[in-house]
Amino acid sequence: MHIDTGIISLIEMGADGTRSAQVDCSPKLIPHPGQYLQAHCPAEPDSALGWSLFPVGLPSSITDTDHPAPLSLAPIPRSWHPGTPLELRGPLGHGFTPPPALQRLGLIALGESAARLLPLIRPALADQADVVIFSAAPLPAMPPAVEIQPLSALPEALAWADFWALDLPVEKLPSLRQMLGLEPQAYLPRPVQALLTLPLPCAGVGECGACAVPLRRKSYALACKDGPVFDLKQVDDW
Ligand code: FES
């Protein structure tokens, strides 16, 4: 985990209305897909808690530390603009960990945006994997090799992928099986990791507990430290 400063070089608006910022900063701060940075704007001392910013979009590379691609981060407040300086802390949490010999990557966006799943696409295509994305949210222009499907096509496709990556608001966990077309108590037939959307107000600094996620066996995990990406089989409430 590193602490450093960065500066916004560009503001972008995604196809789904997600407002993101390209940030010039040390490559050491760059989060992997599903991880996040805690950002604070020193010009806005009233926003003491800062913002949890996730990598979004389709960079050509986010892992080449010698030639890092511009980092797009979201969500950002409307008050930020090109030239805004930021104090950054990260990368934080645990991101997605696709298997090394991945052949078929399935992405499922169940929230209002698929943007946080998109950074998984370029590395998968570079490894010659097939990629399908299921989303009800508008998507940007995709590489030709990426297949786009509606959420309604999911039930017939659940055995297709080697690995599924979900973006899921935590309040939708209880209805997840219904959304996937699964029987009660049934699991997906392939490994699934879910990026849970929930507030991360202290990002682990104060251990406020606001990001507690119920696990099976009656325990809890803190999404800010132990997640926000979880193996779905470990999570309770669905
Ligand atoms: S956000 Fe405070 S403990 Fe996780």
Side-chain angles (χ1 to χ4, degrees), residues 59-133:
S60 56
S61 169
I62 63 166
T63 56
D64 181 351
T65 52
D66 291 331
H67 305 92
L71 176 60
S72 287
L73 298 165
I76 61 167
R78 302 206 67 79
S79 56
W80 292 5
H81 50 78
T84 296
L86 299 175
E87 295 169 350
L88 301 167
R89 184 169 63 89
L92 298 170
H94 292 274
F96 289 106
T97 53
L102 182 67
Q103 294 186 317
R104 293 181 297 278
L105 171 65
L107 306 175
I108 305 175
L110 295 169
E112 294 178 353
S113 170
R116 301 190 303 178
L117 295 175
L118 303 185
L120 288 164
I121 291 178
R122 292 281 187 206
L125 294 180
D127 287 341
Q128 311 294 321
D130 294 324
V131 180
V132 178
I133 182 165

Side-chain angles (χ1 to χ4, degrees), residues 200-204 207-209 211 222 224:
L200 306 171
C202 80
E207 302 213 348
C208 65
C211 66
L222 295 177
C224 64

Side-chain angles (χ1 to χ4, degrees), residues 125-190:
L125 294 180
D127 287 341
Q128 311 294 321
D130 294 324
V131 180
V132 178
I133 182 165
F134 297 81
S135 174
L139 295 168
M142 286 286 163
V146 177
E147 187 178 331
I148 299 171
Q149 291 285 346
L151 292 178
S152 58
L154 263 174
E156 291 90 56
L158 293 180
W160 174 81
D162 300 324
F163 174 79
W164 290 102
L166 273 66
D167 192 324
L168 175 69
V170 72
E171 65 271 15
K172 289 192 174 179
L173 271 172
S175 55
L176 180 58
R177 281 194 177 84
Q178 187 181 3
M179 288 189 285
L180 298 177
L182 292 173
E183 297 291 327
Q185 310 302 322
Y187 288 105
L188 276 82
R190 300 285 188 264

Side-chain angles (χ1 to χ4, degrees), residues 1-8 19-25 29 31 35-55 71-77 79-80 84-92 200-205:
M1 199 267 288
H2 301 275
I3 296 174
D4 207 342
T5 56
I7 189 161
I8 293 177
R19 197 164 178 271
S20 66
Q22 286 190 9
V23 179
D24 290 334
C25 65
L29 286 159
Q35 289 185 303
Y36 65 103
L37 291 175
Q38 190 74 351
H40 176 71
C41 174
E44 298 175 347
D46 290 344
S47 60
L49 290 178
W51 290 76
S52 299
L53 307 182
F54 289 81
L71 176 60
S72 287
L73 298 165
I76 61 167
S79 56
W80 292 5
T84 296
L86 299 175
E87 295 169 350
L88 301 167
R89 184 169 63 89
L92 298 170
L200 306 171
C202 80
V205 171

